[in-house]
Amino acid sequence: MVLPLLVATCIAFMFDVCSSKTIIHELNISRITSPTGKQLISLNGAANSLGPVFRVQAGDSLNLLVNNDICEDQDLPVYGEDYCNTSIHFHGLVLENEAGGKLGALYDGVPGVTQRSIPPQMSFWYNFTIPASLEGGTYWFHSHSSVQYGDGLRGIFLVDSSKRDEYLKRVVAKLDSDGTAGELLTDLPENGSSKKIHEEVLAVSDWYSKSSVDILKEVMSPTGGPDPRVEGSTLNGDQNSVNFPIDAEVEYVALRIINVGMSGTNVLHVEGLRLCVVETDGVLTKPYMIDTLSIAVGQRFTVLVKVNKETSSARIIHGCGKMMGYITKTHWLTRPGVDPGSSFQGNMRSLPGLDKSERYRDFVPRNGDLLPAPAQQISLDYAYESDLKETYQTGMYAVNGDTMPEFIPDGVLLEGDRGIRKPIELSTNQVVEIAINAIDHMTHPWHMHGHTFQVISVGRGHDGPLYYDNPGSTAMRRYLDDVDAWEGKVPMTRDTINIPGNSYAVIRFNASNPGFWLLHCHVEWHMAKGLGVILAEGDAKVDAVVSAFKTFQPPEISSASEAQATTEVTASPTESTTLDSSQNVQLQSQQKGSKAKVLVIYVAIMCIFNAGIGLFFFPRR
Ligand SMILES: *[C@@H]1O[C@H](CO)[C@@H](O)[C@H](O)[C@H]1NC(C)=O
Ligand SMILES: *[C@@H]1O[C@H](CO)[C@@H](O)[C@H](O)[C@H]1NC(C)=O
Ligand SMILES: *[C@@H]1O[C@H](CO)[C@@H](O)[C@H](O)[C@H]1NC(C)=O
Ligand SMILES: *[C@@H]1O[C@H](CO)[C@@H](O)[C@H](O)[C@H]1NC(C)=O
Ligand SMILES: *[C@@H]1O[C@H](CO)[C@@H](O)[C@H](O)[C@H]1NC(C)=O
Ligand SMILES: [Cu+2]
């Protein structure tokens, strides 16, 4: 009975199914003390402020087992339940609803909204499929509980796809024939270049000498302000300069850049070379040449850099924004045997092409259409309010007068519970536009869950707020100008955007993804101070939110002989693969060697082969 079904499924999805796989990872989350006495959250035992890299193909499934070992009983009074509980959000990944009515929202990782918080000494599985429709892009994952991500509960999440690979090769072919002058590159050749593209991930962040959990105490004290002083910066978790060696024959480098920070916008410049932007937050873009890239907290970019064979090294100049100016670091791309040179001593402000505003007219998607005029328009005003001190004993941010915790009930929104405030209801399956207005003089990076959005308009600083019923305002004039300019074009599409002080941004999306979604400032301290709202989309109430916590214990191995037609394949000394006919994967508890940090198990891929019509299990790396 099962076999004919599998055969039918395999034939129907021959190509897709045969190349997709289930990847199993385990994340052991614990608390450690650094040599300087700073409390950090460690992932799989590593002492780094940045966790592992998870790498998947669009269409793969990820089963991630999260073991919460942050606190023991005696730690609860010290750190509080908020910091001892945990959750994981996959930043930017828009998960599709699955057959059988399973909501993608269930794995968005927001405690109180899409799931119950994972309590201490308990485990939780995040099982979901990365949509096959994704073009491939750069994402990250991080805790959505308290300020845990700043203490280390964050890592990189890369989605690969053949569409992305082919596109990058075509852009390289264009750069190869036409050079790197100009701005927008048009008329890409049909055939991609066969030249090797060397890839590096650059995760940038601000840095503080105290742990986030200690800073939070100050921020949330009666006199605590929302912006603790940025004291340093990191690249890939490292406070030092980082050297990226590149082989002698490499001519093209793809930099996948992510701001995994708590607060500061970062800028990057590769001295003497130009940057060709090809991705904004998981969306492939028309290649656009710039000299200096500005990255808000939560944003991602891919840039292609052409390095001449004669270039023996190039300085990567990295500025991490703080209240006044930058923390400046120098990193290097170097050829074999070449000593990196000296550090950059210049002024960040004199870097060519430095532009910290959102370049929403430049970085446009390579595909798609402008969404039609919205059926619903919403204005949100946000400001820092000190008179909320009564309830919270500290100054808090409010959006249209409400602060984020008021939206979050004791239960879980998806179960139908409500907080003090009802979520903002969106018109289901309609195009919605939200004007986010800064009644505040600072720049804030706003991130939306559950969608990428089209950036219709972003004001300059001091344009003031945008109200749809006030056509004469500076903001409204700029907005109408932009709307006209988009005729026949596609606006920048992404999930995170910097909104200048005393100004606005207008985002547009189709409210076609049922769930409760956060729209919030991604500054870790501002989230703690309530800067965000919850949007309600579609009929998202589900009968039972996944809340299957298990006591954290080494996973059991089921006897391989129980499974029918079981094959076991060892992919590498640190990885093991167990395959069984029901496509279930069992974790193996025996770690092979202490070097093993991430346990990866690949599941059976069912393929039909030849005329023999045999059932075939096909493990893939
Ligand atoms: C911690 O998690 C438990 C279990 O989900 C939940 O009951 C409790 O309210 C959470 N505490 C906080 C402060 O989120
Ligand atoms: C692209 O590649 C194909 C196959 O190698 C070749 O037949 C074709 O002529 C190429 N097209 C161009 C425009 O170079
Ligand atoms: C919005 O999504 C709904 C549901 O998928 C779809 O029916 C509708 O056509 C979409 N609207 C636009 C303008 O794309
Ligand atoms: C998640 O995946 C794991 C490993 O494949 C499996 O044991 C578990 O039952 C799955 N949980 C859910 C809720 O699907
Ligand atoms: C997580 O911890 C368990 C229990 O100590 C251990 O068996 C497992 O190998 C660890 N996993 C990783 C990925 O470090
Ligand atoms: Cu903010």
Side-chain angles (χ1 to χ4, degrees), residues 151-183:
D151 284 343
L153 215 178
R154 53 183 168 180
I156 311 297
F157 197 100
L158 302 179
V159 179
D160 295 322
S161 81
S162 51
K163 277 182 236 169
R164 177 184 163 99
D165 294 346
E166 281 156 24
Y167 185 61
L168 264 55
K169 284 178 197 278
R170 287 176 62 203
V171 176
V172 162
K174 178 74 180 175
L175 291 168
D176 225 35
S177 63
D178 293 16
T180 60
E183 294 179 331

Side-chain angles (χ1 to χ4, degrees), residues 358 360 379-382 434-440 455-468 473-483 497-507:
E358 289 289 347
Y360 61 104
S379 290
L380 301 176
D381 286 3
Y382 66 89
I434 303 182
I436 311 169
N437 292 321
I439 315 296
D440 170 301
V455 181
I456 301 295
S457 185
V458 186
R460 306 265 162 79
H462 308 290
D463 272 4
L466 183 140
Y467 301 116
Y468 288 101
S473 68
T474 310
M476 200 60 185
R477 282 203 308 273
R478 188 185 299 282
Y479 163 77
L480 292 172
D481 226 47
D482 280 327
V483 169
I497 187 180
N498 248 347
I499 304 179
N502 291 314
S503 192
Y504 72 92
V506 176
I507 62 174

Side-chain angles (χ1 to χ4, degrees), residues 148-384:
Q148 292 173 348
Y149 89 74
D151 284 343
L153 215 178
R154 53 183 168 180
I156 311 297
F157 197 100
L158 302 179
V159 179
D160 295 322
S161 81
S162 51
K163 277 182 236 169
R164 177 184 163 99
D165 294 346
E166 281 156 24
Y167 185 61
L168 264 55
K169 284 178 197 278
R170 287 176 62 203
V171 176
V172 162
K174 178 74 180 175
L175 291 168
D176 225 35
S177 63
D178 293 16
T180 60
E183 294 179 331
L184 183 67
L185 307 183
T186 55
D187 304 317
L188 295 188
E190 278 308 312
N191 290 350
S193 162
S194 57
K195 287 188 175 164
K196 177 185 167 191
I197 303 176
H198 176 98
E199 184 186 270
E200 293 289 351
V201 173
L202 272 65
V204 293
S205 176
D206 46 0
W207 181 90
Y208 306 78
S209 58
K210 289 185 185 165
S211 67
S212 285
V213 68
D214 289 332
I215 295 172
L216 184 68
K217 286 183 193 135
E218 291 162 24
V219 164
M220 298 306 279
S221 74
T223 53
D227 294 293
R229 197 165 64 89
V230 173
E231 295 166 88
S233 68
T234 58
L235 188 140
N236 295 348
D238 196 336
Q239 270 185 270
N240 300 307
S241 290
V242 179
N243 184 23
F244 298 96
I246 50 171
D247 289 346
E249 77 281 1
V250 165
E251 286 177 68
Y252 289 92
V253 178
L255 304 177
R256 299 180 89 155
I257 299 163
I258 317 177
N259 187 336
V260 298
M262 285 69 87
S263 165
T265 296
N266 280 241
V267 300
L268 285 175
H269 172 79
V270 185
E271 214 173 22
L273 303 176
R274 304 197 76 207
L275 312 175
C276 180
V277 174
V278 289
E279 178 202 338
T280 53
D281 297 352
V283 176
L284 293 174
T285 60
K286 293 184 177 158
Y288 196 94
M289 301 301 309
I290 59 167
D291 294 300
T292 299
L293 182 71
S294 172
I295 318 112
V297 169
Q299 286 186 332
R300 292 90 61 209
F301 288 91
T302 296
V303 299
L304 284 166
V305 185
K306 183 178 165 77
V307 287
N308 304 323
K309 278 192 175 151
E310 310 77 61
T311 307
S312 59
S313 74
R315 297 200 288 196
I316 301 174
I317 298 157
H318 169 204
C320 174
K322 50 180 186 174
M323 196 62 87
M324 301 290 270
Y326 296 90
I327 288 163
T328 307
K329 295 260 169 79
T330 308
H331 313 286
W332 289 273
L333 296 170
T334 55
R335 303 286 187 186
V338 173
D339 242 9
S342 57
S343 297
F344 173 74
Q345 299 299 331
N347 187 339
M348 292 302 293
R349 289 198 178 83
S350 60
L351 289 180
L354 178 67
D355 179 357
K356 288 175 77 186
S357 63
E358 289 289 347
R359 303 185 61 163
Y360 61 104
R361 290 206 185 185
D362 297 337
F363 302 155
V364 299
R366 65 163 186 157
N367 289 324
D369 297 300
L370 172 69
L371 283 165
Q376 184 184 17
Q377 288 171 317
I378 297 169
S379 290
L380 301 176
D381 286 3
Y382 66 89
Y384 191 65

Side-chain angles (χ1 to χ4, degrees), residues 7 11 14 608-615:
V7 170
I11 291 170
M14 191 83 168
I608 305 303
F609 258 67
N610 303 331
I613 310 191
L615 203 53

